[in-house]
Amino acid sequence: MRGTSIVGVLVVIWLIIGAIAAGQRGYYNNNDANCAEAGTILVTIVAGPLNYIGANPKVDCTLPEPSK
């Protein structure tokens, strides 16, 4: 039981570091939200401390247009 709580704490710390990295890159300041920006924020958070050793994850996505 103790091992799983340590892993849980490490995962939370990992994600907090990723959220801080996304904030430092200014990803939260843009009001124009789209798929690519939301995806980039998400993968930056998941990358966590890897952002500080050179990882710069980006997402490029396009959503289908609604039919007329």
Side-chain angles (χ1 to χ4, degrees):
M1 185 73 166
R2 181 179 166 123
T4 57
S5 64
I6 291 172
V7 171
V9 169
L10 290 176
V11 168
V12 169
I13 292 170
W14 182 278
L15 295 174
I16 289 171
I17 292 171
I20 291 169
Q24 289 175 338
R25 291 181 178 168
Y27 292 160
Y28 302 132
N29 297 334
N30 195 351
N31 292 333
D32 297 332
N34 61 39
C35 174
E37 290 177 15
T40 298
I41 291 171
L42 183 64
V43 296
T44 300
I45 292 172
V46 171
L50 299 177
N51 290 292
Y52 294 103
I53 60 170
N56 190 12
K58 300 277 185 187
V59 173
D60 183 29
C61 60
T62 55
L63 298 175
E65 295 293 323
S67 60
K68 294 183 179 181

